[in-house]
Amino acid sequence: MRKLIFSSIAIFSIVFNTIGQDLAPYIKIGESTETIQQVSDKVVEALKSNSFTILGDYNPSNKSTLKVIAFTRTDLKNTVVKVTDRGALAAAFKVGLEQKGGKILISYTNPDYILRAYLGDNYNTFKGTFQKFSADLKTTFSTIGNEFTPFGGTLKADKLKGYHYKIMMPYFSDPIELNEFSSFEEGLKVIENNLKAKKGQTVEVYKIVYKNEKVAVFGIGLQSKENGESVFLPKIGEAHVAALPYEIILQGKKATMLHGKYRIALHWPELTMGTFMKIMSTPGDIEDTLEGLCK
């Protein structure tokens, strides 16, 4: 009987600790005194050598001191698309490189944080796949650094699926519709052509297309000097560079984006209202730019 009681207490403790766990949006791998290109090359090689696929890279804000490398893996990509409410947004993860004080700070988006936020209750359905992906990433990046320190603010694990910044602010379930096309194929063509033309001073960082499911995700760099990354990123924190690029998701005939007041807050959970007010126009500016890519 005592064994049963102690076992029950242990199980309850594990469940409670998991639910109450604090998660951060980023994991710091470490620092390097090499050039940003040398570090980038090592990251790419480590990912490729461990069955990850490089989707693309770019310099946010057009700054040579910042770089993002987007990647995925087949098991992750094929799993998240099963979640029909924009689950494919969770297919791409990013490594962020920030040159600061003569060193390169190396970080990546935390799968446990992003997947819980984007997939909601569906996270537990595929938890085994996601935990393996996260563990394999740590093993892969152990050739680059050994810190693996969470940073960027924290949210409770069980709060991520229903996260919003403040009362009356949008949730993941409040996307912005950018356009509705006559077909998936038309939408794909319009967005691809506009990105090729760099409409709105944008750049295509990556593209994931699921032809059978009629789903496509575009990672888009916002390079306008008037209202792009170079305007808002320094105000809210370049250390969170792995939050970029921003995404459009095309599902069937509809192209949508996550609301800026949700997506920015999720990736910068420590933002004060005062700092948020300094980028008051940013969510609307991003919406206008991405909407332009869908027309």
Side-chain angles (χ1 to χ4, degrees):
M1 185 66 173
R2 289 181 63 188
K3 288 183 179 180
L4 179 62
I5 292 172
F6 285 131
S7 296
S8 299
I9 292 172
I11 291 170
F12 176 79
S13 297
I14 291 170
V15 172
F16 180 80
N17 289 335
T18 301
I19 292 173
Q21 181 183 6
D22 289 323
L23 294 176
Y26 311 97
I27 306 292
K28 181 182 176 184
I29 300 170
E31 299 179 356
S32 174
T33 55
E34 295 181 307
T35 68
I36 201 165
Q37 187 59 52
Q38 288 173 322
V39 175
S40 175
D41 290 344
K42 286 187 175 181
V43 168
V44 168
E45 179 57 31
L47 287 166
K48 285 183 175 180
S49 297
N50 287 274
S51 302
F52 294 92
T53 302
I54 305 300
L55 296 171
D57 63 73
Y58 85 123
N59 301 103
S61 304
N62 270 323
K63 292 179 70 171
S64 61
T65 53
L66 297 175
K67 190 165 187 177
V68 167
I69 302 160
F71 64 93
T72 189
R73 195 168 72 177
T74 302
D75 58 340
L76 176 75
K77 186 174 71 171
N78 291 344
T79 299
V80 296
V81 74
K82 295 176 183 177
V83 179
T84 56
D85 185 13
R86 291 162 292 127
L89 285 172
F93 279 80
K94 282 76 60 83
V95 172
L97 305 179
E98 180 194 19
Q99 185 175 319
K100 190 175 182 180
K103 294 182 179 179
I104 307 299
L105 280 63
I106 315 161
S107 65
Y108 65 100
T109 39
N110 182 359
D112 298 329
Y113 183 97
I114 298 297
L115 290 165
R116 288 174 188 271
Y118 283 10
L119 303 181
D121 289 329
N122 292 287
Y123 173 85
N124 287 324
T125 304
F126 308 105
K127 191 173 181 178
T129 298
F130 301 148
Q131 288 180 331
K132 186 177 189 309
F133 179 82
S134 186
D136 289 350
L137 265 187
K138 186 173 182 179
T139 300
T140 295
F141 291 141
S142 64
T143 62
I144 308 294
N146 57 13
E147 287 191 35
F148 296 101
T149 308
F151 75 95
T154 60
L155 292 172
K156 296 292 183 184
D158 62 322
K159 299 295 185 184
L160 279 163
K161 66 180 180 180
Y163 174 74
H164 68 151
Y165 180 61
K166 300 284 185 183
I167 189 169
M168 303 300 289
M169 288 287 204
Y171 295 80
F172 180 86
S173 55
D174 297 316
I176 293 173
E177 185 173 322
L178 300 171
N179 200 3
E180 183 169 359
F181 303 95
S182 62
S183 67
F184 171 74
E185 290 73 20
E186 186 212 3
L188 191 63
K189 184 177 180 180
V190 168
I191 298 170
E192 286 176 338
N193 287 342
N194 283 330
L195 283 169
K196 285 177 184 176
K198 300 187 182 296
K199 187 176 180 181
Q201 298 178 64
T202 59
V203 60
E204 180 183 309
V205 181
Y206 69 84
K207 176 176 64 179
I208 302 172
V209 179
Y210 301 88
K211 289 185 178 180
N212 292 338
E213 293 85 357
K214 295 189 182 299
V215 173
V217 179
F218 297 87
I220 300 159
L222 307 168
Q223 299 193 321
S224 168
K225 293 181 180 180
E226 288 73 39
N227 53 29
E229 296 157 349
S230 61
V231 174
F232 67 81
L233 191 55
K235 295 175 183 176
I236 58 178
E238 292 182 334
H240 295 218
V241 67
L244 300 170
Y246 218 95
E247 305 92 357
I248 289 175
I249 181 167
L250 176 65
Q251 289 189 288
K253 300 177 182 180
K254 288 186 179 181
T256 63
M257 60 173 273
L258 293 179
H259 200 298
K261 291 179 181 178
Y262 168 82
R263 193 190 182 287
I264 293 171
L266 180 72
H267 287 81
W268 280 266
E270 287 183 317
L271 278 187
T272 64
M273 184 57 78
T275 305
F276 224 132
M277 294 299 288
K278 292 178 182 179
I279 59 162
M280 188 187 304
S281 64
T282 294
D285 292 336
I286 295 172
E287 179 181 346
D288 289 344
T289 299
L290 300 191
E291 188 175 42
L293 291 173
C294 297
K295 293 182 176 178

